[in-house]
Amino acid sequence: MTATMSRKTFWTITAVFFICILLAFLLLPKKSKIKNTAKYSFTTKSKTWNPPDTSELSNDTAGNLIRYGRELIVHTSRYLGPKGSVAQISNGMNCDNCHINGGATLFANNFSVTAPSYPQFKKRNNSLVDLVERIDGCFERSLNGEKLTDTSREMKAMIAYINWMGKNKDEVKNNFGTSTEKLAYLNRAADTANGKVIFLAQCSVCHGQKGEGKLMDDGREYLYPPLWGKNSYNNGAGLYQLTNLAGFVKNNMPYGTTYKRPFLSDVQAWDVAAYVNSMLRPSFKSIDKDWPDISAKPVDYPFGPYADTFSENQHKFGPFGPIALADKNLKKNKEVLSKK
């Protein structure tokens, strides 16, 4: 009888144990899964740009300066971040966070035609901007920091590297892959709620659930950059415009994605970009001086006043189609009036 009771007790305990495991499995919150629905969206057969190889550089003053320039682009914070060995003038992000692989990746703001494009008239500044000023703009906006000294070795090295990266510029056909892909506009506003779901499922593993990023063990630079908060890019950065960030996300995120093998669909890229840019971040100190000609503001520039009647919210999240159409009609009317 004792043996029979023992067997009954054993099987009862075993049954209760497995029932508890089953209930725990059923009741635990599950991480949302996002299906890979993206498709390769390019049909060009043009020869693509081949970035030069640093192994080709000579071991002399000029070659060493270019190598140092690449080091500064890839590991900006080690030298110029909060714990920088040269100066402390930026937020801890690296130039490489936006110009992936040292500016060598297609559709990730590469340097294939950067140097030959400057000096360039910038409508945002309403003035002619040279390469030094362009780099300083990145430090003040994307790195939420201060300008480099124009004559510093660091500025000279960055310019030397960017110039060298553009030496194969003739390979670039129709500016293929030089900036970020301009995704087709949605017929609705980008959805921050859906973007949050995508972010938590696909992005938070690297960038943190609060967008705080992940520092290297030495604390001198980020392994994965913060996407909002005090250490991220400010609201004057190019990525704060939704068309720029959505295209960047589509062809580069999650980590390991390329334009040939995207993971997120266009819609998902728009929504997650909207969620990221809906979060708090630093303010650019001279934002009120941008776009002095308000009629030249891009459709996704989120700060008024505007030459049209659309709200700041629509300029930030869309839908952008009606704004683009109104802008096109406004320009046509100006042309007609100028010919009278």
PDB file of all heavy atoms in Angstrom, residues 225-256:
ATOM      1  N   PRO A 225      24.749  52.820 -31.443  1.00  0.00           N
ATOM      2  CA  PRO A 225      24.497  54.207 -31.027  1.00  0.00           C
ATOM      3  C   PRO A 225      23.116  54.422 -30.416  1.00  0.00           C
ATOM      4  O   PRO A 225      22.166  53.693 -30.723  1.00  0.00           O
ATOM      5  CB  PRO A 225      24.626  54.978 -32.344  1.00  0.00           C
ATOM      6  CG  PRO A 225      24.213  53.985 -33.384  1.00  0.00           C
ATOM      7  CD  PRO A 225      24.755  52.665 -32.907  1.00  0.00           C
ATOM      8  N   PRO A 226      22.982  55.423 -29.564  1.00  0.00           N
ATOM      9  CA  PRO A 226      21.667  55.807 -29.040  1.00  0.00           C
ATOM     10  C   PRO A 226      20.838  56.454 -30.149  1.00  0.00           C
ATOM     11  O   PRO A 226      21.371  57.213 -30.962  1.00  0.00           O
ATOM     12  CB  PRO A 226      22.007  56.808 -27.932  1.00  0.00           C
ATOM     13  CG  PRO A 226      23.337  57.366 -28.323  1.00  0.00           C
ATOM     14  CD  PRO A 226      24.061  56.266 -29.024  1.00  0.00           C
ATOM     15  N   LEU A 227      19.557  56.152 -30.181  1.00  0.00           N
ATOM     16  CA  LEU A 227      18.686  56.673 -31.243  1.00  0.00           C
ATOM     17  C   LEU A 227      17.835  57.842 -30.786  1.00  0.00           C
ATOM     18  O   LEU A 227      17.218  58.516 -31.604  1.00  0.00           O
ATOM     19  CB  LEU A 227      17.791  55.549 -31.775  1.00  0.00           C
ATOM     20  CG  LEU A 227      18.543  54.372 -32.404  1.00  0.00           C
ATOM     21  CD1 LEU A 227      17.559  53.365 -32.980  1.00  0.00           C
ATOM     22  CD2 LEU A 227      19.506  54.847 -33.490  1.00  0.00           C
ATOM     23  N   TRP A 228      17.774  58.069 -29.493  1.00  0.00           N
ATOM     24  CA  TRP A 228      17.166  59.291 -28.971  1.00  0.00           C
ATOM     25  C   TRP A 228      17.758  59.553 -27.599  1.00  0.00           C
ATOM     26  O   TRP A 228      18.618  58.811 -27.115  1.00  0.00           O
ATOM     27  CB  TRP A 228      15.642  59.206 -28.947  1.00  0.00           C
ATOM     28  CG  TRP A 228      15.024  58.139 -28.098  1.00  0.00           C
ATOM     29  CD1 TRP A 228      14.784  58.190 -26.753  1.00  0.00           C
ATOM     30  CD2 TRP A 228      14.526  56.862 -28.531  1.00  0.00           C
ATOM     31  NE1 TRP A 228      14.180  57.038 -26.314  1.00  0.00           N
ATOM     32  CE2 TRP A 228      14.005  56.205 -27.390  1.00  0.00           C
ATOM     33  CE3 TRP A 228      14.462  56.208 -29.760  1.00  0.00           C
ATOM     34  CZ2 TRP A 228      13.433  54.933 -27.450  1.00  0.00           C
ATOM     35  CZ3 TRP A 228      13.887  54.942 -29.821  1.00  0.00           C
ATOM     36  CH2 TRP A 228      13.387  54.331 -28.682  1.00  0.00           C
ATOM     37  N   GLY A 229      17.324  60.633 -26.974  1.00  0.00           N
ATOM     38  CA  GLY A 229      17.897  60.998 -25.685  1.00  0.00           C
ATOM     39  C   GLY A 229      19.080  61.939 -25.827  1.00  0.00           C
ATOM     40  O   GLY A 229      19.463  62.339 -26.931  1.00  0.00           O
ATOM     41  N   LYS A 230      19.686  62.291 -24.705  1.00  0.00           N
ATOM     42  CA  LYS A 230      20.702  63.347 -24.663  1.00  0.00           C
ATOM     43  C   LYS A 230      21.972  63.020 -25.441  1.00  0.00           C
ATOM     44  O   LYS A 230      22.724  63.936 -25.803  1.00  0.00           O
ATOM     45  CB  LYS A 230      21.068  63.664 -23.214  1.00  0.00           C
ATOM     46  CG  LYS A 230      21.726  62.517 -22.473  1.00  0.00           C
ATOM     47  CD  LYS A 230      22.074  62.919 -21.044  1.00  0.00           C
ATOM     48  CE  LYS A 230      22.789  61.780 -20.306  1.00  0.00           C
ATOM     49  NZ  LYS A 230      23.150  62.187 -18.915  1.00  0.00           N
ATOM     50  N   ASN A 231      22.238  61.742 -25.706  1.00  0.00           N
ATOM     51  CA  ASN A 231      23.476  61.370 -26.389  1.00  0.00           C
ATOM     52  C   ASN A 231      23.285  61.023 -27.858  1.00  0.00           C
ATOM     53  O   ASN A 231      24.188  60.493 -28.497  1.00  0.00           O
ATOM     54  CB  ASN A 231      24.124  60.179 -25.666  1.00  0.00           C
ATOM     55  CG  ASN A 231      24.531  60.519 -24.250  1.00  0.00           C
ATOM     56  OD1 ASN A 231      25.034  61.598 -23.978  1.00  0.00           O
ATOM     57  ND2 ASN A 231      24.297  59.608 -23.326  1.00  0.00           N
ATOM     58  N   SER A 232      22.112  61.335 -28.401  1.00  0.00           N
ATOM     59  CA  SER A 232      21.832  61.031 -29.797  1.00  0.00           C
ATOM     60  C   SER A 232      21.917  62.288 -30.660  1.00  0.00           C
ATOM     61  O   SER A 232      22.249  63.380 -30.175  1.00  0.00           O
ATOM     62  CB  SER A 232      20.451  60.397 -29.924  1.00  0.00           C
ATOM     63  OG  SER A 232      20.240  59.909 -31.233  1.00  0.00           O
ATOM     64  N   TYR A 233      21.630  62.129 -31.948  1.00  0.00           N
ATOM     65  CA  TYR A 233      21.644  63.277 -32.861  1.00  0.00           C
ATOM     66  C   TYR A 233      20.545  64.257 -32.467  1.00  0.00           C
ATOM     67  O   TYR A 233      19.510  63.872 -31.928  1.00  0.00           O
ATOM     68  CB  TYR A 233      21.502  62.822 -34.309  1.00  0.00           C
ATOM     69  CG  TYR A 233      20.278  62.001 -34.647  1.00  0.00           C
ATOM     70  CD1 TYR A 233      19.065  62.606 -35.005  1.00  0.00           C
ATOM     71  CD2 TYR A 233      20.329  60.610 -34.640  1.00  0.00           C
ATOM     72  CE1 TYR A 233      17.946  61.854 -35.327  1.00  0.00           C
ATOM     73  CE2 TYR A 233      19.201  59.843 -34.971  1.00  0.00           C
ATOM     74  CZ  TYR A 233      18.027  60.467 -35.310  1.00  0.00           C
ATOM     75  OH  TYR A 233      16.916  59.725 -35.637  1.00  0.00           O
ATOM     76  N   ASN A 234      20.784  65.531 -32.750  1.00  0.00           N
ATOM     77  CA  ASN A 234      19.797  66.534 -32.361  1.00  0.00           C
ATOM     78  C   ASN A 234      18.781  66.778 -33.482  1.00  0.00           C
ATOM     79  O   ASN A 234      18.865  66.182 -34.563  1.00  0.00           O
ATOM     80  CB  ASN A 234      20.473  67.832 -31.876  1.00  0.00           C
ATOM     81  CG  ASN A 234      21.266  68.538 -32.960  1.00  0.00           C
ATOM     82  OD1 ASN A 234      20.854  68.630 -34.115  1.00  0.00           O
ATOM     83  ND2 ASN A 234      22.430  69.069 -32.578  1.00  0.00           N
ATOM     84  N   ASN A 235      17.833  67.669 -33.232  1.00  0.00           N
ATOM     85  CA  ASN A 235      16.744  67.877 -34.189  1.00  0.00           C
ATOM     86  C   ASN A 235      17.131  68.716 -35.398  1.00  0.00           C
ATOM     87  O   ASN A 235      16.285  69.018 -36.240  1.00  0.00           O
ATOM     88  CB  ASN A 235      15.519  68.482 -33.495  1.00  0.00           C
ATOM     89  CG  ASN A 235      15.787  69.860 -32.912  1.00  0.00           C
ATOM     90  OD1 ASN A 235      16.864  70.440 -33.083  1.00  0.00           O
ATOM     91  ND2 ASN A 235      14.812  70.392 -32.190  1.00  0.00           N
ATOM     92  N   GLY A 236      18.414  69.070 -35.486  1.00  0.00           N
ATOM     93  CA  GLY A 236      18.902  69.761 -36.679  1.00  0.00           C
ATOM     94  C   GLY A 236      19.623  68.833 -37.630  1.00  0.00           C
ATOM     95  O   GLY A 236      20.052  69.244 -38.707  1.00  0.00           O
ATOM     96  N   ALA A 237      19.764  67.556 -37.256  1.00  0.00           N
ATOM     97  CA  ALA A 237      20.473  66.578 -38.080  1.00  0.00           C
ATOM     98  C   ALA A 237      19.637  66.146 -39.270  1.00  0.00           C
ATOM     99  O   ALA A 237      18.406  66.163 -39.230  1.00  0.00           O
ATOM    100  CB  ALA A 237      20.836  65.362 -37.234  1.00  0.00           C
ATOM    101  N   GLY A 238      20.322  65.717 -40.326  1.00  0.00           N
ATOM    102  CA  GLY A 238      19.623  65.266 -41.521  1.00  0.00           C
ATOM    103  C   GLY A 238      18.716  64.075 -41.260  1.00  0.00           C
ATOM    104  O   GLY A 238      17.657  63.944 -41.879  1.00  0.00           O
ATOM    105  N   LEU A 239      19.107  63.192 -40.340  1.00  0.00           N
ATOM    106  CA  LEU A 239      18.297  62.009 -40.048  1.00  0.00           C
ATOM    107  C   LEU A 239      17.024  62.351 -39.277  1.00  0.00           C
ATOM    108  O   LEU A 239      16.161  61.485 -39.107  1.00  0.00           O
ATOM    109  CB  LEU A 239      19.109  60.968 -39.262  1.00  0.00           C
ATOM    110  CG  LEU A 239      20.160  60.196 -40.055  1.00  0.00           C
ATOM    111  CD1 LEU A 239      20.790  59.116 -39.185  1.00  0.00           C
ATOM    112  CD2 LEU A 239      19.584  59.571 -41.325  1.00  0.00           C
ATOM    113  N   TYR A 240      16.898  63.598 -38.823  1.00  0.00           N
ATOM    114  CA  TYR A 240      15.654  63.986 -38.160  1.00  0.00           C
ATOM    115  C   TYR A 240      14.557  64.243 -39.186  1.00  0.00           C
ATOM    116  O   TYR A 240      13.399  64.402 -38.825  1.00  0.00           O
ATOM    117  CB  TYR A 240      15.878  65.211 -37.284  1.00  0.00           C
ATOM    118  CG  TYR A 240      14.732  65.466 -36.326  1.00  0.00           C
ATOM    119  CD1 TYR A 240      14.414  64.525 -35.352  1.00  0.00           C
ATOM    120  CD2 TYR A 240      13.962  66.622 -36.400  1.00  0.00           C
ATOM    121  CE1 TYR A 240      13.356  64.731 -34.472  1.00  0.00           C
ATOM    122  CE2 TYR A 240      12.907  66.845 -35.522  1.00  0.00           C
ATOM    123  CZ  TYR A 240      12.612  65.895 -34.562  1.00  0.00           C
ATOM    124  OH  TYR A 240      11.557  66.103 -33.699  1.00  0.00           O
ATOM    125  N   GLN A 241      14.914  64.282 -40.468  1.00  0.00           N
ATOM    126  CA  GLN A 241      13.916  64.365 -41.539  1.00  0.00           C
ATOM    127  C   GLN A 241      13.531  62.936 -41.913  1.00  0.00           C
ATOM    128  O   GLN A 241      14.387  62.100 -42.210  1.00  0.00           O
ATOM    129  CB  GLN A 241      14.477  65.126 -42.740  1.00  0.00           C
ATOM    130  CG  GLN A 241      14.654  66.615 -42.463  1.00  0.00           C
ATOM    131  CD  GLN A 241      15.341  67.326 -43.612  1.00  0.00           C
ATOM    132  OE1 GLN A 241      16.264  68.118 -43.409  1.00  0.00           O
ATOM    133  NE2 GLN A 241      14.900  67.055 -44.831  1.00  0.00           N
ATOM    134  N   LEU A 242      12.258  62.662 -41.910  1.00  0.00           N
ATOM    135  CA  LEU A 242      11.774  61.292 -41.994  1.00  0.00           C
ATOM    136  C   LEU A 242      12.159  60.590 -43.295  1.00  0.00           C
ATOM    137  O   LEU A 242      12.424  59.383 -43.297  1.00  0.00           O
ATOM    138  CB  LEU A 242      10.249  61.265 -41.820  1.00  0.00           C
ATOM    139  CG  LEU A 242       9.681  59.962 -41.256  1.00  0.00           C
ATOM    140  CD1 LEU A 242      10.272  59.667 -39.882  1.00  0.00           C
ATOM    141  CD2 LEU A 242       8.172  60.038 -41.178  1.00  0.00           C
ATOM    142  N   THR A 243      12.195  61.320 -44.409  1.00  0.00           N
ATOM    143  CA  THR A 243      12.549  60.674 -45.676  1.00  0.00           C
ATOM    144  C   THR A 243      13.976  60.147 -45.634  1.00  0.00           C
ATOM    145  O   THR A 243      14.283  59.105 -46.222  1.00  0.00           O
ATOM    146  CB  THR A 243      12.394  61.636 -46.867  1.00  0.00           C
ATOM    147  OG1 THR A 243      13.215  62.786 -46.663  1.00  0.00           O
ATOM    148  CG2 THR A 243      10.948  62.080 -47.032  1.00  0.00           C
ATOM    149  N   ASN A 244      14.865  60.855 -44.952  1.00  0.00           N
ATOM    150  CA  ASN A 244      16.254  60.401 -44.839  1.00  0.00           C
ATOM    151  C   ASN A 244      16.380  59.179 -43.934  1.00  0.00           C
ATOM    152  O   ASN A 244      17.063  58.210 -44.264  1.00  0.00           O
ATOM    153  CB  ASN A 244      17.143  61.529 -44.299  1.00  0.00           C
ATOM    154  CG  ASN A 244      17.261  62.691 -45.256  1.00  0.00           C
ATOM    155  OD1 ASN A 244      17.147  62.524 -46.471  1.00  0.00           O
ATOM    156  ND2 ASN A 244      17.486  63.880 -44.732  1.00  0.00           N
ATOM    157  N   LEU A 245      15.725  59.233 -42.774  1.00  0.00           N
ATOM    158  CA  LEU A 245      15.850  58.127 -41.821  1.00  0.00           C
ATOM    159  C   LEU A 245      15.156  56.866 -42.332  1.00  0.00           C
ATOM    160  O   LEU A 245      15.682  55.759 -42.179  1.00  0.00           O
ATOM    161  CB  LEU A 245      15.276  58.525 -40.462  1.00  0.00           C
ATOM    162  CG  LEU A 245      15.426  57.470 -39.354  1.00  0.00           C
ATOM    163  CD1 LEU A 245      16.883  57.080 -39.150  1.00  0.00           C
ATOM    164  CD2 LEU A 245      14.825  57.972 -38.040  1.00  0.00           C
ATOM    165  N   ALA A 246      13.996  57.003 -42.955  1.00  0.00           N
ATOM    166  CA  ALA A 246      13.268  55.827 -43.449  1.00  0.00           C
ATOM    167  C   ALA A 246      14.096  55.080 -44.491  1.00  0.00           C
ATOM    168  O   ALA A 246      14.191  53.846 -44.465  1.00  0.00           O
ATOM    169  CB  ALA A 246      11.921  56.242 -44.029  1.00  0.00           C
ATOM    170  N   GLY A 247      14.716  55.813 -45.419  1.00  0.00           N
ATOM    171  CA  GLY A 247      15.551  55.181 -46.433  1.00  0.00           C
ATOM    172  C   GLY A 247      16.776  54.521 -45.838  1.00  0.00           C
ATOM    173  O   GLY A 247      17.192  53.432 -46.252  1.00  0.00           O
ATOM    174  N   PHE A 248      17.358  55.182 -44.840  1.00  0.00           N
ATOM    175  CA  PHE A 248      18.533  54.619 -44.159  1.00  0.00           C
ATOM    176  C   PHE A 248      18.167  53.322 -43.452  1.00  0.00           C
ATOM    177  O   PHE A 248      18.880  52.316 -43.547  1.00  0.00           O
ATOM    178  CB  PHE A 248      19.075  55.640 -43.156  1.00  0.00           C
ATOM    179  CG  PHE A 248      20.321  55.200 -42.438  1.00  0.00           C
ATOM    180  CD1 PHE A 248      21.567  55.428 -42.996  1.00  0.00           C
ATOM    181  CD2 PHE A 248      20.254  54.567 -41.208  1.00  0.00           C
ATOM    182  CE1 PHE A 248      22.730  55.022 -42.353  1.00  0.00           C
ATOM    183  CE2 PHE A 248      21.393  54.154 -40.551  1.00  0.00           C
ATOM    184  CZ  PHE A 248      22.644  54.386 -41.123  1.00  0.00           C
ATOM    185  N   VAL A 249      17.048  53.335 -42.748  1.00  0.00           N
ATOM    186  CA  VAL A 249      16.581  52.147 -42.032  1.00  0.00           C
ATOM    187  C   VAL A 249      16.307  51.000 -43.006  1.00  0.00           C
ATOM    188  O   VAL A 249      16.707  49.850 -42.762  1.00  0.00           O
ATOM    189  CB  VAL A 249      15.312  52.469 -41.216  1.00  0.00           C
ATOM    190  CG1 VAL A 249      14.640  51.195 -40.720  1.00  0.00           C
ATOM    191  CG2 VAL A 249      15.661  53.366 -40.033  1.00  0.00           C
ATOM    192  N   LYS A 250      15.631  51.291 -44.105  1.00  0.00           N
ATOM    193  CA  LYS A 250      15.238  50.244 -45.063  1.00  0.00           C
ATOM    194  C   LYS A 250      16.444  49.437 -45.536  1.00  0.00           C
ATOM    195  O   LYS A 250      16.386  48.204 -45.625  1.00  0.00           O
ATOM    196  CB  LYS A 250      14.543  50.894 -46.262  1.00  0.00           C
ATOM    197  CG  LYS A 250      14.338  49.991 -47.479  1.00  0.00           C
ATOM    198  CD  LYS A 250      13.286  48.932 -47.251  1.00  0.00           C
ATOM    199  CE  LYS A 250      13.186  47.979 -48.438  1.00  0.00           C
ATOM    200  NZ  LYS A 250      12.792  48.640 -49.684  1.00  0.00           N
ATOM    201  N   ASN A 251      17.543  50.088 -45.840  1.00  0.00           N
ATOM    202  CA  ASN A 251      18.672  49.406 -46.469  1.00  0.00           C
ATOM    203  C   ASN A 251      19.824  49.075 -45.533  1.00  0.00           C
ATOM    204  O   ASN A 251      20.828  48.511 -45.990  1.00  0.00           O
ATOM    205  CB  ASN A 251      19.196  50.252 -47.634  1.00  0.00           C
ATOM    206  CG  ASN A 251      18.199  50.309 -48.765  1.00  0.00           C
ATOM    207  OD1 ASN A 251      17.740  49.273 -49.249  1.00  0.00           O
ATOM    208  ND2 ASN A 251      17.825  51.508 -49.185  1.00  0.00           N
ATOM    209  N   ASN A 252      19.681  49.382 -44.239  1.00  0.00           N
ATOM    210  CA  ASN A 252      20.801  49.139 -43.324  1.00  0.00           C
ATOM    211  C   ASN A 252      20.418  48.490 -41.997  1.00  0.00           C
ATOM    212  O   ASN A 252      21.302  48.099 -41.232  1.00  0.00           O
ATOM    213  CB  ASN A 252      21.520  50.462 -43.036  1.00  0.00           C
ATOM    214  CG  ASN A 252      22.113  51.080 -44.287  1.00  0.00           C
ATOM    215  OD1 ASN A 252      23.097  50.601 -44.821  1.00  0.00           O
ATOM    216  ND2 ASN A 252      21.489  52.149 -44.778  1.00  0.00           N
ATOM    217  N   MET A 253      19.130  48.388 -41.705  1.00  0.00           N
ATOM    218  CA  MET A 253      18.699  47.892 -40.413  1.00  0.00           C
ATOM    219  C   MET A 253      17.664  46.770 -40.560  1.00  0.00           C
ATOM    220  O   MET A 253      16.861  46.817 -41.502  1.00  0.00           O
ATOM    221  CB  MET A 253      18.104  49.034 -39.579  1.00  0.00           C
ATOM    222  CG  MET A 253      19.101  50.131 -39.256  1.00  0.00           C
ATOM    223  SD  MET A 253      20.394  49.541 -38.141  1.00  0.00           S
ATOM    224  CE  MET A 253      21.837  50.392 -38.825  1.00  0.00           C
ATOM    225  N   PRO A 254      17.653  45.786 -39.676  1.00  0.00           N
ATOM    226  CA  PRO A 254      18.565  45.574 -38.548  1.00  0.00           C
ATOM    227  C   PRO A 254      19.993  45.309 -39.012  1.00  0.00           C
ATOM    228  O   PRO A 254      20.248  45.144 -40.203  1.00  0.00           O
ATOM    229  CB  PRO A 254      17.983  44.346 -37.842  1.00  0.00           C
ATOM    230  CG  PRO A 254      16.573  44.230 -38.331  1.00  0.00           C
ATOM    231  CD  PRO A 254      16.598  44.772 -39.727  1.00  0.00           C
ATOM    232  N   TYR A 255      20.903  45.234 -38.048  1.00  0.00           N
ATOM    233  CA  TYR A 255      22.328  45.076 -38.327  1.00  0.00           C
ATOM    234  C   TYR A 255      22.563  43.912 -39.289  1.00  0.00           C
ATOM    235  O   TYR A 255      22.039  42.817 -39.105  1.00  0.00           O
ATOM    236  CB  TYR A 255      23.082  44.834 -37.025  1.00  0.00           C
ATOM    237  CG  TYR A 255      24.584  44.711 -37.211  1.00  0.00           C
ATOM    238  CD1 TYR A 255      25.366  45.840 -37.428  1.00  0.00           C
ATOM    239  CD2 TYR A 255      25.194  43.472 -37.166  1.00  0.00           C
ATOM    240  CE1 TYR A 255      26.724  45.731 -37.595  1.00  0.00           C
ATOM    241  CE2 TYR A 255      26.565  43.352 -37.336  1.00  0.00           C
ATOM    242  CZ  TYR A 255      27.332  44.484 -37.557  1.00  0.00           C
ATOM    243  OH  TYR A 255      28.685  44.359 -37.741  1.00  0.00           O
ATOM    244  N   GLY A 256      23.350  44.172 -40.336  1.00  0.00           N
ATOM    245  CA  GLY A 256      23.651  43.146 -41.327  1.00  0.00           C
ATOM    246  C   GLY A 256      22.834  43.269 -42.594  1.00  0.00           C
ATOM    247  O   GLY A 256      23.129  42.634 -43.611  1.00  0.00           O
TER     248      GLY A 256
END
